[in-house]
């Protein structure tokens, strides 16, 4: 499928899929959205209740690597050890990575950002002293982890273009993959998504969304 790199309103890049008229991030701001939905509402929220060592994060859709990069930068500041698993069926190419401006916009290391992409798939790689990355080239439907992760960043394409990824079947996999009191965050606030999450056992809250989006969802495994 054709992919184009475009600039969002906060000056950070994202990828656009013309065939689906779908973006990898909010057009209001890729970095702004990632910070709000995944870092503040997921990562920072989770740290208030638990601080396991290492903190295990599962990302649904590794894509541009933006969420892993920001998590790495923030975990370094907080001196927290992270084991980060990114699942992705359609990895982006190195020439696409080179066109992303996240290191520039975040005033952070380009070498580290590139390393997130150049490390081998299906193995554990130390990106920095406190950050281990495991990239898995697989479909979300193939995830069968159990009681493992403390946080899930659920960042699939929207329910309008990939409804099969926002079903009870997939959320059941997510629920099982989380450890007790684990947290799942997603940018979607759709009623059908909320109901699918609740039906597999999540306690779900509608919480304020990033600029341009009134609400988002956060589920907790109890
Ligand atoms: C909304 S994008 C977000 C990507 C990433 N979180 C980021 O910040 O760039 C969704 C990602 O899910 C991937 N994807 C789509 N369908 C998939 C599937 N069935 N299994 C695994 N990955 C899939 C896409 O290739 C894309 O990278």
């Amino acid at each position: 499928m054709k992919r184009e790199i475009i600039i969002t309103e906060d000056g950070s890049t994202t990828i656009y899929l013309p065939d689906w008229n779908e973006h990898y991030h909010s057009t209001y701001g890729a970095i702004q959205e990632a910070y709000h939905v995944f870092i503040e509402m997921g990562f920072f929220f989770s740290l208030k209740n638990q601080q396991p060592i290492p903190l295990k994060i599962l990302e649904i859709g590794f894509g541009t690597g933006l969420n892993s990069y920001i998590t790495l930068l923030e975990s370094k500041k907080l001196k927290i050890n992270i084991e980060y698993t990114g699942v992705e069926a359609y990895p982006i190419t190195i020439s696409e990575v080179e066109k992303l401006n996240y290191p520039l916009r975040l005033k952070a290391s380009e070498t580290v950002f590139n390393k997130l992409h150049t490390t081998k798939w299906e193995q554990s790689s130390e990106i920095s002293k406190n950050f281990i990355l495991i990239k898995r080239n697989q479909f979300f439907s193939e995830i069968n982890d159990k009681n493992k992760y403390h946080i899930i960043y659920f960042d699939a394409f929207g329910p309008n273009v990939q409804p099969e990824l926002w079903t009870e079947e997939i959320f059941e996999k997510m629920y099982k993959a989380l450890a007790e009191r684990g947290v799942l965050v997603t940018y979607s606030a759709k009623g059908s998504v909320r109901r699918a999450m609740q039906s597999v056992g999540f306690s779900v809250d509608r919480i304020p969304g990033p600029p341009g989006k009134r609400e988002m969802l956060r589920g907790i495994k109890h």
Side-chain angles (χ1 to χ4, degrees), residues 46-184:
S46 179
L47 289 177
K48 285 185 208 151
N49 304 317
Q50 49 176 353
Q51 299 211 359
I53 304 169
L55 185 79
K56 294 186 182 172
I57 301 177
L58 172 66
E59 178 171 26
I60 298 303
F62 183 77
T64 61
L66 174 60
N67 294 332
S68 61
Y69 188 44
I70 298 179
T71 303
L72 182 152
L73 299 175
E74 291 301 318
S75 64
K76 193 174 175 193
K77 287 185 207 159
L78 296 168
K79 298 191 173 61
I80 291 169
N81 290 333
I82 305 284
E83 185 187 292
Y84 194 102
T85 302
V87 175
E88 174 60 60
Y90 313 102
I92 64 169
T93 63
I94 290 303
S95 80
E96 287 170 315
V97 171
E98 284 165 359
K99 294 187 187 108
L100 297 171
N101 67 4
Y102 305 137
L104 188 73
R105 301 297 305 179
L106 291 162
K107 299 186 179 59
S109 164
E110 190 170 1
T111 310
V112 169
F113 181 63
N114 290 344
K115 205 169 163 188
L116 293 167
H117 288 283
T118 53
T119 50
K120 291 212 172 80
W121 292 78
E122 325 306 338
Q123 72 176 39
S124 187
S125 308
E126 189 180 281
I127 307 295
S128 68
K129 253 175 98 182
N130 70 313
F131 195 95
I132 303 288
L133 175 67
I134 302 150
K135 291 189 293 184
R136 298 198 329 223
N137 188 194
Q138 63 175 179
F139 289 104
F140 304 142
S141 54
E142 294 168 332
I143 295 173
N144 283 314
D145 300 286
K146 301 275 181 298
N147 296 316
K148 184 169 174 188
Y149 302 101
H150 306 106
I151 310 174
I152 295 180
Y153 294 165
F154 196 88
D155 198 14
F157 289 129
N160 297 337
V161 293
Q162 282 194 303
E164 70 279 10
L165 300 181
W166 301 82
T167 56
E168 285 181 24
E169 197 187 341
I170 295 287
F171 284 118
E172 185 156 32
K173 283 180 179 291
M174 300 298 115
Y175 193 81
K176 286 185 177 158
L178 281 174
E180 196 64 21
R181 292 190 295 138
V183 173
L184 179 149

